[in-house]
Amino acid sequence: MSGFRADVLTLFPEMFPGSLGQSLAGEALKTGRWSLNAHDIRVHGLGKHRAVDDSPAGGGAGMVLRADVLANAIDAVASPEDHRPVLLMSPRGKPMTQAMVREWASGPGIVIVCGRFEGVDERVIEGRHLIEVSIGDYILSGGEPAALVVLDACVRLLPGVMGKIESGEDESFENGLLEYPHFTKPREWEGRTIPEILLSGDHGKIAKWRREQAERLTRERRPDLMGKNQD
Ligand code: SAH
């Protein structure tokens, strides 16, 4: 089946599919709308102990993933002909946006390299044209949770994965705005009511109210997004 193909290179392949084996992503995985293969980098490790890392040149704390080992792991999975971007999860990377996710989700798939320890040898980033991607300004202990985040964001955009097609389009960031507030039953809860306009049945007014709310929330919480088209 020609679905979205994800390959992940990691020292902890048992962390996958993890949360992606559940719910909508899990269903889509079972029905073959996408595929996920986690590959153990250690298979390419050196010597009796399958060493994958070593101490940083120039000294300092921690260990660094070796360029040769990682390149062998990448070459075993990503062929230049398959045209998939090879991402390296990295706090130094380009902060991930919904526009980036949409681009990846519309392609043949992605290869994700998960770092560990202090990171990876710089030469493999250059030599294999790795695209460094960050999921936010904080430090994780490894790239695996970040890879799960990237894949979750991609998979929900694949055709047929989400129940209702519209629920993908109205979302925060999709139109450069945060989403408007939601309400459901009961009509009154702990003395709080639902805004009257949402119960009016007037779709024009409802759309206008939601737009205003989205703009207000974006202005208050994320003024940096205002007027920014995500494309
Ligand atoms: N010494 C590095 C941090 C290493 S954290 C530095 O200061 O930049 C270990 C690994 O976790 C990284 O190689 C990366 O793969 C992953 N990681 C940590 N934080 C991340 C983030 N915000 N986004 C994506 N990956 C992250």
Side-chain angles (χ1 to χ4, degrees):
M1 186 173 280
S2 63
F4 180 89
R5 285 185 305 124
D7 284 281
V8 178
L9 304 179
T10 169
L11 289 169
F12 300 95
E14 59 284 1
M15 288 190 185
F16 297 87
S19 56
L20 300 175
Q22 306 289 316
S23 190
L24 295 179
E27 291 302 321
L29 193 54
K30 280 189 208 112
T31 55
R33 289 189 200 282
W34 71 296
S35 68
L36 173 61
N37 286 296
H39 307 268
D40 191 350
I41 296 169
R42 199 169 293 282
V43 167
H44 301 273
L46 305 172
K48 196 172 73 177
H49 299 292
R50 297 252 163 243
V52 295
D53 57 340
D54 217 314
S55 46
M63 300 293 267
V64 176
L65 275 170
R66 291 177 59 119
D68 49 358
V69 171
L70 200 48
N72 286 337
I74 293 168
D75 294 346
V77 165
S79 67
E81 305 91 67
D82 79 10
H83 303 296
R84 285 181 300 166
V86 184
L87 314 182
L88 170 67
M89 296 297 97
S90 162
R92 295 189 324 198
K94 189 172 173 198
M96 185 166 90
T97 63
Q98 187 66 13
M100 289 156 73
V101 171
R102 226 183 297 130
E103 191 184 317
W104 297 328
S106 65
I110 51 180
V111 177
I112 305 182
V113 179
C114 300
R116 275 273 154 184
F117 321 120
E118 284 311 307
V120 311
D121 188 305
E122 191 70 19
R123 294 168 296 179
V124 75
I125 301 177
E126 292 171 18
R128 289 299 178 273
H129 308 290
L130 303 184
I131 303 163
E132 290 182 81
V133 174
S134 167
I135 64 156
D137 291 343
Y138 40 78
I139 306 293
L140 305 168
S141 53
E144 290 78 8
L148 291 170
V149 167
V150 171
L151 289 172
D152 182 299
C154 288
V155 168
R156 61 187 289 286
L157 295 183
L158 300 178
V161 171
M162 296 236 298
K164 272 197 196 150
I165 202 79
E166 315 91 72
S167 49
E169 289 163 4
D170 222 18
E171 224 83 54
S172 290
F173 308 119
E174 287 289 1
N175 52 11
L177 292 173
L178 302 179
E179 203 180 43
Y180 50 80
H182 296 292
F183 300 88
T184 185
K185 292 181 173 111
R187 205 164 163 148
E188 188 178 328
W189 174 77
E190 295 192 351
R192 295 165 193 271
T193 55
I194 295 174
E196 211 47 55
I197 208 156
L198 297 178
L199 306 170
S200 70
D202 184 333
H203 297 296
K205 278 198 183 139
I206 291 171
K208 182 164 170 284
W209 181 87
R210 286 181 166 164
R211 175 89 200 171
E212 285 164 5
Q213 293 295 313
E215 285 172 1
R216 177 184 61 79
L217 282 170
T218 310
R219 214 170 16 248
E220 282 172 16
R221 298 182 185 182
R222 294 293 305 278
D224 56 301
L225 293 177
M226 279 317 270
K228 217 196 235 178
N229 190 328
Q230 285 279 304
D231 291 309

